[in-house]
Amino acid sequence: MKLTLNRSEFMQELQTVQRAISTKTTIPILTGVKITLTEQGLTLTGSNADISIETFLSADNEKAQMNIEQTGAIVLQARFFSEIVRRLPESTLTLEVLENNQVAITSGKANFTVNGLDADSYPHLPVVESQNAIEIPGHILNKIVSETVFAVSQHESRPILTGVHFVLEDQKLLAVATDSHRLSQRVIPLDSGDTTFNIVIPGKSLTELSRSLTDEEEAIQISIMDNQVLFQTKTMKFYSRLLEGTYPDTNRLIPSSFNTEIEFSVPELLQAIERASLLSHEGRNNIVRLAISEEAVVLYGNSPEIGKVEEDLNFASVTGDPLEISFNPDYMKAALRAFGDTSIVIRFISAIRPFTLEPTESKGNFIQLITPVRTN
Amino acid sequence: MKLTLNRSEFMQELQTVQRAISTKTTIPILTGVKITLTEQGLTLTGSNADISIETFLSADNEKAQMNIEQTGAIVLQARFFSEIVRRLPESTLTLEVLENNQVAITSGKANFTVNGLDADSYPHLPVVESQNAIEIPGHILNKIVSETVFAVSQHESRPILTGVHFVLEDQKLLAVATDSHRLSQRVIPLDSGDTTFNIVIPGKSLTELSRSLTDEEEAIQISIMDNQVLFQTKTMKFYSRLLEGTYPDTNRLIPSSFNTEIEFSVPELLQAIERASLLSHEGRNNIVRLAISEEAVVLYGNSPEIGKVEEDLNFASVTGDPLEISFNPDYMKAALRAFGDTSIVIRFISAIRPFTLEPTESKGNFIQLITPVRTN
């Protein structure tokens, strides 16, 4: 293999596949990036136990300034290799595989010779059939991920809850995540033909996927196999394993009748919650208390050691019964951030039943649920 | 004590004194900021075992929008208090000391009540007589610190080497730091009258001092007592303890005759050193090798596991004997960064003797020394 190409274009590809490469893996070759050069272009592959990423830089891409002298393949230790490429002096670099899997990296007067590994010993990526692929715009996929993934469980005690549940049916894509204390569910219409699926994708994979999808406009093809999902753009394939098991029935968790409703501006409520949580974070329970009456809506936070805070909240409207309810402000902060700069309706049944949060303008396509904390 | 004032001006003062406040101190009251309000203005004080900072916000300062209703003093837990102030909703805040050292912090509809401590139990700062004060512009002080402080020892085995040695005599201020592997020495002319001193200031104190001196134009007054130094601006007093003991005689370490001289552009040499150190960092010894001959100047780095690098260096001129010398590239990187974007002359005696680095234009006022590593 011998190739000269543009350094910054190459660097970008390297950074993308590096998202899938862990330095802590127990399989040494997976600390490497696989580099495969054909007459068509350059393929980079990175993989760990959960995700694999493959990028393709076409020989036709003018920005890449590729000069292919000899095709071939090699695996290079990813972290070092990208550090080296990043610090090379010129705008292009030359890679040449020498004897014994040694690789010469040259740029200007700088000559590196690094030890590679045989590309044949790199594991094969799963084969995903794309016959049942659906397509979704990148920014929609990113949005649905960011609106749900924060609510997955961080604990491995119930592994299925560490993923986001995606259900495609009736031309609708539903995504839901819950850690059993709070839940976030998003539904979007999707022109998906006859394709249906019901899968759970690890939250961490989705976070990495979002970071890799830099072109918001691009369409993403999603294909599913028994235990793998493939997200594909023109230049990138992103594989993730699926979580096995049955996701709990979350539909029955969402209540439908309420006794108190209140409408808030999200940014204003978020700031007040942030202030209250300064003190609650120091207490043993990390809870804040919301008191709703006809006269006022007041938020309370306190910590025996530091002090207390109380704040009269601004609200757009309030209806129903007076209520005092306590909850974890961190769940509320995460929920409010997912809504963004809008207004929401919070609906309560009682101080001990989960309450719902929905954008005021929502028609049931985005709903969140938070379980309160019993204080007596 | 009762006071209303501008939040962002107050926040700035708080951030400055917080540099001196540690959350890890064993003396509880030192996790607090002391707030003292007189008719003249507001004094904030923070302190730890090494440094103390006192800021003053004048009642006449229009930006501060101060409304003094009642003078007094209190100590508040610094980290929390500044988090609270940072998140308050309005552009002004009101502080009021209630009964039992409780303090009300109010801004808009947000009402905090936090537990304070009696200001009388806050330790007194040292009294430093300013009769022998000298004056130095802020940017000069910052420069002399940044040119030397990186070379102090990070190890407590020889505590005196963790400080920078300052000697003022003959209208010259000399600053020198060494960790016994490398040394950096700066001399500046200073109109200091009859004042002389010979002190060692902890490197960490100097780093914090530099961060606190934001106004480059301002003059800094330096006063010294037995075991304390005070840096004073119009609005801030910065105290540091001095290190006790005799600083080693560094003068005799600097050689004066050489066998090889070479001139480099600092940015170019720095980049090459950074490339070579990518590999040397992985080796057991972290050394790079420089080979100087009449034909070429070549830099080598290698790590048995990863590979090797060699690079023909650009240089402005070379004279004297051929030489091969090995050194720690991290010392070289730090030295080069301290020089900035200029050209330097490196002078060698032999492969086993310390070599010097000086700006080409220098007249002996800035010199660095690096001890090579013996490789056989």
Side-chain angles (χ1 to χ4, degrees):
Chain A
M1 186 183 112
K2 188 171 180 188
L3 165 74
T4 299
L5 81 171
N6 180 279
R7 191 162 65 88
S8 66
E9 292 293 314
F10 183 52
M11 197 69 225
Q12 258 181 36
E13 307 288 303
L14 261 181
Q15 280 168 347
T16 302
V17 296
Q18 267 194 294
R19 296 192 188 287
I21 301 175
S22 164
T23 52
K24 281 178 276 181
T25 172
T26 50
I27 308 165
I29 201 161
L30 290 186
T31 63
V33 51
K34 184 183 175 193
I35 304 173
T36 311
L37 181 66
T38 65
E39 293 296 341
Q40 285 70 50
L42 186 71
T43 302
L44 300 186
T45 310
S47 183
N48 63 33
D50 290 318
I51 63 173
S52 303
I53 302 179
E54 195 178 288
T55 67
F56 181 69
L57 192 59
S58 169
D60 299 335
N61 182 329
E62 284 187 14
K63 277 194 201 161
Q65 300 178 283
M66 280 167 74
N67 179 15
I68 300 169
E69 291 186 51
Q70 195 182 346
T71 60
I74 191 74
V75 175
L76 289 176
Q77 212 280 348
R79 186 169 60 88
F80 267 102
F81 182 49
S82 76
E83 279 294 312
I84 289 171
V85 173
R86 195 159 68 83
R87 292 182 188 276
L88 290 175
E90 303 291 333
S91 68
T92 63
L93 76 153
T94 301
L95 296 177
E96 181 176 6
V97 177
L98 312 171
E99 287 183 350
N100 298 321
N101 294 319
Q102 292 224 300
V103 178
I105 308 164
T106 316
S107 179
K109 288 179 172 180
N111 292 289
F112 284 83
T113 311
V114 298
N115 305 319
L117 291 165
D118 188 347
D120 289 338
S121 49
Y122 196 87
H124 290 281
L125 294 195
V127 178
V128 175
E129 293 167 27
S130 60
Q131 58 194 32
N132 287 323
I134 62 159
E135 220 174 72
I136 183 169
H139 65 277
I140 303 276
L141 183 59
N142 272 346
K143 193 168 156 64
I144 202 167
V145 167
S146 71
E147 287 171 344
T148 53
V149 75
F150 67 89
V152 303
S153 171
Q154 304 303 320
H155 303 290
E156 289 295 335
S157 54
R158 285 183 72 189
I160 195 81
L161 295 187
T162 63
V164 177
H165 186 205
F166 286 91
V167 180
L168 177 68
E169 59 185 7
D170 304 333
Q171 313 292 319
K172 278 190 303 195
L173 177 63
L174 174 145
V176 63
T178 180
D179 61 3
S180 78
H181 301 292
R182 38 85 182 265
L183 172 152
S184 183
Q185 173 180 298
R186 186 68 157 113
V187 180
I188 57 161
L190 194 69
D191 182 9
S192 54
D194 296 338
T195 307
T196 63
F197 57 67
N198 186 326
I199 55 176
V200 184
I201 304 178
K204 284 180 192 164
S205 300
L206 292 168
T207 303
E208 287 302 338
L209 173 66
S210 277
R211 289 180 186 149
S212 310
L213 296 176
T214 47
D215 181 357
E216 291 262 298
E217 295 309 311
E218 200 170 10
I220 318 291
Q221 272 202 356
I222 307 179
S223 320
I224 286 143
M225 281 234 330
D226 280 357
N227 61 352
Q228 292 279 338
V229 55
L230 166 60
F231 298 89
Q232 189 166 1
T233 70
K234 271 189 202 125
T235 58
M236 181 183 73
K237 291 179 179 176
F238 185 107
Y239 299 83
S240 170
R241 73 180 174 95
L242 297 176
L243 291 176
E244 286 172 32
T246 307
Y247 201 82
D249 176 13
T250 49
N251 236 329
R252 61 172 182 80
L253 300 177
I254 301 171
S256 55
S257 69
F258 304 93
N259 299 315
T260 310
E261 285 193 21
I262 181 162
E263 189 178 342
F264 286 108
S265 144
V266 169
E268 277 188 63
L269 179 59
L270 179 55
Q271 283 175 27
I273 296 279
E274 282 173 342
R275 282 189 282 274
S277 70
L278 283 178
L279 293 177
S280 70
H281 278 171
E282 294 309 300
R284 222 179 314 161
N285 303 316
N286 189 25
I287 55 171
V288 299
R289 185 162 55 92
L290 183 70
I292 301 171
S293 68
E294 278 180 30
E295 294 75 39
V297 178
V298 186
L299 185 68
Y300 299 90
N302 84 86
S303 120
E305 283 189 14
I306 310 292
K308 60 184 183 175
V309 53
E310 67 175 80
E311 182 164 351
D312 250 350
L313 300 183
N314 292 324
F315 55 90
S317 67
V318 61
T319 58
D321 302 343
L323 179 79
E324 288 213 13
I325 191 166
S326 297
F327 53 85
N328 181 325
D330 297 340
Y331 294 151
M332 182 61 95
K333 281 195 271 189
L336 295 174
R337 288 190 185 122
F339 286 123
D341 185 1
T342 183
S343 73
I344 55 164
V345 181
I346 307 185
R347 295 186 175 91
F348 303 91
I349 300 169
S350 75
I352 59 169
R353 301 281 299 278
F355 55 92
T356 66
L357 307 90
E358 284 190 84
T360 310
E361 301 297 321
S362 166
K363 291 166 190 84
N365 56 24
F366 191 9
I367 188 163
Q368 298 198 55
L369 200 69
I370 294 175
T371 303
V373 177
R374 281 192 191 213
T375 53
N376 49 33
Chain B
M1 187 185 109
K2 188 170 182 189
L3 165 72
T4 299
L5 82 172
N6 179 279
R7 190 161 66 88
S8 66
E9 291 294 313
F10 184 52
M11 196 68 223
Q12 259 180 37
E13 307 289 302
L14 261 182
Q15 280 167 350
T16 302
V17 296
Q18 268 195 294
R19 295 193 189 287
I21 301 175
S22 164
T23 52
K24 282 178 276 179
T25 173
T26 50
I27 307 166
I29 201 162
L30 290 187
T31 64
V33 52
K34 183 182 174 193
I35 303 172
T36 310
L37 182 65
T38 65
E39 293 296 340
Q40 285 69 48
L42 186 71
T43 302
L44 301 186
T45 310
S47 183
N48 64 32
D50 290 318
I51 63 173
S52 303
I53 301 178
E54 196 178 287
T55 67
F56 181 69
L57 193 59
S58 168
D60 300 334
N61 183 330
E62 286 188 10
K63 277 193 200 161
Q65 300 178 279
M66 280 168 73
N67 180 15
I68 300 170
E69 292 187 47
Q70 194 182 347
T71 60
I74 191 75
V75 175
L76 289 175
Q77 213 279 349
R79 187 169 59 89
F80 266 102
F81 181 49
S82 76
E83 279 295 312
I84 289 170
V85 173
R86 196 159 68 83
R87 293 183 188 276
L88 290 175
E90 303 293 333
S91 68
T92 61
L93 75 151
T94 301
L95 296 177
E96 181 176 6
V97 177
L98 312 171
E99 284 182 354
N100 298 320
N101 294 317
Q102 291 223 303
V103 179
I105 309 164
T106 317
S107 179
K109 289 180 172 178
N111 292 290
F112 284 82
T113 312
V114 299
N115 305 320
L117 290 166
D118 189 345
D120 289 338
S121 48
Y122 195 86
H124 290 282
L125 294 196
V127 178
V128 176
E129 294 166 26
S130 61
Q131 57 194 38
N132 287 322
I134 61 159
E135 220 175 70
I136 183 170
H139 66 277
I140 302 278
L141 183 60
N142 272 345
K143 192 167 157 64
I144 202 166
V145 167
S146 72
E147 286 170 344
T148 53
V149 74
F150 66 90
V152 303
S153 171
Q154 304 302 318
H155 304 291
E156 290 294 335
S157 54
R158 285 184 71 189
I160 194 81
L161 295 188
T162 63
V164 177
H165 186 204
F166 285 90
V167 180
L168 178 68
E169 58 184 7
D170 303 335
Q171 314 291 319
K172 277 189 303 191
L173 177 63
L174 175 144
V176 63
T178 180
D179 61 5
S180 77
H181 301 293
R182 37 90 183 261
L183 173 152
S184 184
Q185 174 181 299
R186 186 68 156 115
V187 180
I188 58 162
L190 195 68
D191 182 8
S192 52
D194 297 338
T195 307
T196 63
F197 57 66
N198 185 326
I199 56 175
V200 184
I201 305 177
K204 285 180 192 161
S205 300
L206 292 168
T207 304
E208 288 303 339
L209 173 66
S210 276
R211 289 181 185 146
S212 312
L213 296 176
T214 47
D215 181 357
E216 291 262 299
E217 294 311 311
E218 201 170 7
I220 319 290
Q221 272 202 354
I222 307 179
S223 320
I224 288 147
M225 281 239 328
D226 279 359
N227 60 352
Q228 293 278 338
V229 55
L230 165 61
F231 298 88
Q232 189 166 2
T233 71
K234 274 191 200 122
T235 57
M236 180 181 73
K237 290 179 181 176
F238 185 107
Y239 298 83
S240 169
R241 73 179 174 98
L242 297 176
L243 292 177
E244 286 172 32
T246 307
Y247 201 81
D249 176 13
T250 50
N251 237 328
R252 60 175 183 77
L253 300 176
I254 301 171
S256 54
S257 69
F258 304 94
N259 298 314
T260 309
E261 287 194 20
I262 181 163
E263 187 177 345
F264 287 109
S265 144
V266 169
E268 277 189 63
L269 179 58
L270 179 55
Q271 284 176 26
I273 296 280
E274 282 172 341
R275 283 189 282 275
S277 69
L278 283 178
L279 294 176
S280 70
H281 278 170
E282 295 309 299
R284 221 179 313 161
N285 302 316
N286 189 25
I287 55 171
V288 299
R289 185 162 53 91
L290 183 69
I292 301 172
S293 69
E294 281 181 26
E295 293 76 39
V297 177
V298 186
L299 185 68
Y300 299 90
N302 84 86
S303 119
E305 283 188 14
I306 310 291
K308 60 183 183 177
V309 54
E310 66 175 78
E311 182 164 351
D312 251 351
L313 300 183
N314 292 324
F315 55 91
S317 67
V318 61
T319 59
D321 302 343
L323 178 79
E324 287 214 12
I325 192 166
S326 296
F327 54 85
N328 180 324
D330 297 342
Y331 294 152
M332 182 62 94
K333 280 194 273 189
L336 294 174
R337 286 188 186 124
F339 286 123
D341 185 0
T342 182
S343 74
I344 55 163
V345 181
I346 307 185
R347 295 187 175 90
F348 304 91
I349 300 169
S350 75
I352 59 169
R353 300 283 298 279
F355 54 92
T356 66
L357 306 91
E358 286 190 82
T360 309
E361 301 298 321
S362 165
K363 291 167 191 85
N365 56 26
F366 191 10
I367 188 164
Q368 298 198 52
L369 200 69
I370 294 175
T371 304
V373 177
R374 281 193 192 210
T375 54
N376 47 34

